[in-house]
Amino acid sequence: MGNSTGSMFYAFGAFLLIYLVGVFIYQIYLWVKKWRENREEKED
């Protein structure tokens, strides 16, 4: 019984880690997009 609980915990931890990494990458993508738009406006 304890073993199945442990594997569920690891599965949840892995899911949470993948989710957080995805959110982090998405935030970087939005920041880069905003930065590039601002840079293009300054060059005009």
Side-chain angles (χ1 to χ4, degrees), residues 1 5 7 14-15 19 21 23-24 34 36-37 39-40:
M1 238 4 221
T5 310
S7 64
F15 171 77
Y19 173 77
V21 168
V23 168
F24 186 66
K34 194 171 84 172
R36 287 174 78 182
E37 284 173 1
R39 202 181 66 168
E40 286 170 8

Side-chain angles (χ1 to χ4, degrees), residues 1-42:
M1 238 4 221
N3 193 21
S4 67
T5 310
S7 64
M8 277 252 322
F9 176 75
Y10 282 118
F12 179 72
F15 171 77
L16 195 67
L17 190 71
I18 291 166
Y19 173 77
L20 289 173
V21 168
V23 168
F24 186 66
I25 289 169
Y26 181 66
Q27 287 297 324
I28 290 172
Y29 164 74
L30 288 179
W31 181 78
V32 167
K33 198 172 134 190
K34 194 171 84 172
W35 179 76
R36 287 174 78 182
E37 284 173 1
N38 287 343
R39 202 181 66 168
E40 286 170 8
E41 285 175 8
K42 286 178 183 172

